[in-house]
Amino acid sequence: MKGGLLVAGTTSDAGKSVVTAGICRWLVRQGVKVAPFKAQNMSLNSFVTREGAEIGRAQAMQAQACRIEPTALMNPVLLKPGGDQSSQVVLLGRPVGEMSARGYHGGRQQRLLGTVLDSLAELRASYDAVICEGAGSPAEINLRRTDIVNMGIARGARLPVLVVGDIDRGGVFASFFGTVALLSREDQELVAGFLVNKFRGDVSLLEPGLDMLHGLTGRRTYGVLPFRHGLGIDEEDGLRVSLRGAVRESEVSAPVGEDVLRVAVCAVPLMSNFTDVDALAAEPGVVVRFVDRPEELADADLVVVPGTRGTVRALAWLRERGLAKALVRRAAEGRPILGVCGGFQLLGEHIEDDVESRAGHVDGLGLLPVRVRFAREKTLTRPTGEALGERVEGYEIHHGVAEVLAGEPFLDGCRVGRTWGTHWHGSLESDAFRRAFLREVAAAAGRRFVPAPGTSFAALREEQLDRLGDLIEQHADTDALWRLIESGAPRGLPFISPGAPA
């Protein structure tokens, strides 16, 4: 096999990321050397590759589905929102500046098309198949002129397009038809067909509609995937703990000890890498929830202040909501708090920020003896170390440079009493360290909670990726999908009026 495919969607969150991962896992189980690709990703959930490049976490997850190491080529353009109007542009894993949405779509985006196509070509030269993920909808007619992630990349690389629709939202037939009908004739020639996602019920009741859709568009449906809980792993953005559903359905999900452990995660603005708490949610007996009111911290055994793309803005938000006072009170009472990255920075004494917010000197919460200065150069590393007597791996993505003045060392950050702070994302995925940390939290909280001795976060993730591969293998027409990837879109697909506006 030597080919490719673009997985597009009728909407954002239609299931493009998980379908792409599922196709990748299905292919690799067939012995195909496959890689993922997303030309442009907008997300605050990112990852650092071994060569020190920053890419979207969804593409890192898809690389794991392919059983390969992620690289910058798999996500050449990453946009990290810093507010409603601007984003940091990360090109081939390195930040190249801030840009407004108008400025990006006004010309910069189109100039990146060459870089995107070169990255895809390099992957295609090294792999048997490359499964590409689109963004939003390919029928966003206001953005088509500068598109480099949907039909722009499909046209540039002559990729067949599979359109995914979320039937659980309703209106999937209209969405499929309308998506095709709003594309130009040249774009429509590449749209091979459809994939229904999140169907509940008897598929035979859906088949008459699929037949009518084929009659209206001349395009077939390549599969109907059933609704499954807990498949939203490593999402681009949102407030869902991605592994909770899958773990709660497993046979080992009951608490080992007599108590559960309650974790409250402060839902700060511009929250980044909220996937850090997935490993906590994977532990039987750990209940994780996102909170935005001080009273919701009262019964929490652990409070996590997560990463954020706006540390100073998050600090102001905590103060406005009364959460800052609740955190200070909690620290004084010796109740556990964990700050990660931006959450670690705002727990310190003060922040000097002339880069991210340009706010200058800002007082932190003063819970840790740390001073933070924002540097223009971003730190992107994959550190390893030891904490609580256990080996730990993580990754760092931050502009803030922390000067630790006192306290006990903790993962290149520090600890004072039962308040911990670190720049390391992903540390809780180290199983032995996570268990040691939760034992300490449980002791501090007076809970008779016992971590499950055999929980492996990596094994749970593999199990979940296999479930995605099973969905494709069992509910898609894999023979037709194989031909599509290998041979491209069928010839002679009909044009659906009216097409894209002039």
Side-chain angles (χ1 to χ4, degrees):
M1 170 184 276
K2 199 72 174 177
L5 175 70
L6 175 69
V7 179
T10 57
T11 63
S12 295
D13 202 31
K16 297 184 292 291
S17 294
V18 294
V19 167
T20 300
I23 293 173
C24 287
R25 179 50 61 101
W26 161 64
L27 284 171
V28 82
R29 293 195 307 207
Q30 308 308 308
V32 177
K33 188 180 178 185
V34 59
F37 180 80
K38 185 162 185 173
Q40 173 194 295
N41 199 347
M42 177 172 281
S43 179
L44 289 172
N45 284 337
S46 58
F47 182 76
V48 179
T49 67
R50 293 207 180 277
E51 70 266 29
E54 185 179 9
I55 65 172
R57 273 198 68 98
Q59 280 60 66
M61 174 270 291
Q62 291 160 357
Q64 187 174 350
C66 298
R67 298 180 178 145
I68 58 176
E69 275 291 324
T71 72
L73 293 174
M74 297 171 186
N75 179 206
V77 181
L78 173 64
L79 305 178
K80 302 192 72 174
D84 295 334
Q85 299 295 328
S86 67
S87 294
Q88 182 181 66
V89 180
V90 179
L91 181 63
L92 290 172
R94 296 289 173 182
V96 294
E98 297 278 335
M99 186 164 290
S100 69
R102 181 178 292 276
Y104 185 68
H105 290 287
R108 176 64 182 271
Q109 184 180 33
Q110 186 65 22
R111 291 197 295 273
L112 294 175
L113 181 59
T115 300
V116 163
L117 289 172
D118 288 345
S119 298
L120 177 57
E122 191 170 340
L123 282 177
R124 295 185 78 177
S126 302
Y127 291 89
D128 300 329
V130 178
I131 307 303
C132 308
E133 179 188 342
S137 163
E140 291 169 351
I141 54 179
N142 56 315
L143 302 177
R144 177 61 186 93
R145 183 178 60 84
T146 57
D147 169 49
I148 64 171
V149 66
N150 290 306
M151 299 314 299
I153 192 73
R155 286 267 291 278
R158 303 306 300 171
L159 292 170
V161 178
L162 183 69
V163 180
V164 177
D166 180 354
I167 197 170
D168 197 49
R169 294 182 173 190
V172 74
F173 293 117
S175 298
F176 282 146
F177 183 87
T179 296
V180 179
L182 282 176
L183 299 178
S184 69
R185 185 180 298 275
E186 293 79 8
D187 286 350
Q188 287 191 26
E189 289 174 356
L190 295 173
V191 178
F194 313 108
L195 186 75
V196 176
N197 192 28
K198 298 184 184 177
F199 180 72
R200 305 173 192 249
D202 184 346
V203 177
S204 66
L205 299 176
L206 190 65
E207 287 172 350
L210 300 178
D211 291 340
M212 286 186 274
L213 182 66
H214 184 270
L216 288 166
T217 67
R219 289 160 174 85
R220 59 168 300 165
T221 297
Y222 284 77
V224 178
L225 307 186
F227 186 95
R228 291 287 186 268
H229 290 285
L231 293 181
I233 55 178
D234 285 20
E235 303 162 270
E236 293 184 353
D237 284 302
L239 284 182
R240 185 167 54 196
V241 181
S242 60
L243 276 174
R244 182 186 299 177
V247 173
R248 291 295 176 263
E249 293 168 0
S250 70
E251 295 178 0
V252 296
S253 61
V256 174
E258 297 179 45
D259 286 345
V260 298
L261 209 60
R262 295 172 176 84
V263 178
V265 184
C266 296
V268 296
L270 299 174
M271 182 166 49
S272 62
N273 289 69
F274 64 85
T275 47
D276 283 336
V277 299
D278 283 353
L280 295 177
E283 282 286 345
V286 175
V287 180
V288 178
R289 67 184 190 272
F290 291 89
V291 304
D292 60 4
R293 296 192 300 270
E295 56 269 23
E296 293 178 297
L297 304 187
D299 67 342
D301 303 307
L302 169 67
V303 173
V304 177
V305 189
T308 171
R309 175 84 161 88
T311 301
V312 171
R313 178 175 168 181
L315 185 56
W317 181 87
L318 290 170
R319 286 177 167 137
E320 289 165 4
R321 295 216 163 222
L323 285 159
K325 288 183 179 179
L327 287 169
V328 171
R329 185 166 58 249
R330 184 182 181 88
E333 294 168 353
R335 302 178 66 198
I337 300 170
L338 172 65
V340 180
C341 201
F344 163 46
Q345 295 167 6
L346 60 81
L347 295 179
E349 295 176 357
H350 73 251
I351 299 165
E352 289 288 342
D353 182 9
D354 296 318
V355 176
E356 191 176 77
S357 68
R358 297 181 176 84
H361 180 95
V362 178
D363 290 332
L365 297 186
L367 305 185
L368 292 174
V370 174
R371 295 172 183 170
V372 176
R373 175 186 54 81
F374 273 69
R376 297 200 176 277
E377 193 71 23
K378 182 185 281 191
T379 298
L380 296 167
T381 64
R382 290 274 292 270
T384 60
E386 187 175 299
L388 304 181
E390 304 292 349
R391 181 174 171 78
V392 189
E393 297 182 6
Y395 58 99
E396 295 185 51
I397 306 169
H398 54 90
H399 284 278
V401 178
E403 180 187 5
V404 179
L405 304 174
E408 298 178 47
F410 177 73
L411 301 178
D412 291 341
C414 68
R415 169 189 182 173
V416 173
R418 286 165 179 156
T419 299
W420 296 266
T422 177
H423 273 132
W424 291 25
H425 294 290
S427 63
L428 294 167
E429 295 180 20
S430 298
D431 298 322
F433 165 71
R434 182 180 65 253
R435 287 192 279 270
F437 179 71
L438 290 176
R439 281 193 292 270
E440 190 154 335
V441 169
R447 296 284 186 191
R448 289 172 293 184
F449 168 84
V450 179
T455 302
S456 166
F457 184 78
L460 287 168
R461 183 172 293 256
E462 275 297 302
E463 178 184 303
Q464 201 169 21
L465 290 169
D466 276 333
R467 290 175 68 205
L468 294 177
D470 292 343
L471 277 179
I472 298 299
E473 193 166 327
Q474 296 167 12
H475 300 282
D477 186 338
T478 52
D479 288 340
L481 201 54
W482 187 285
R483 289 193 299 272
L484 183 63
I485 294 168
E486 194 170 35
S487 304
R491 294 183 180 276
L493 291 170
F495 173 71
I496 307 303
S497 181

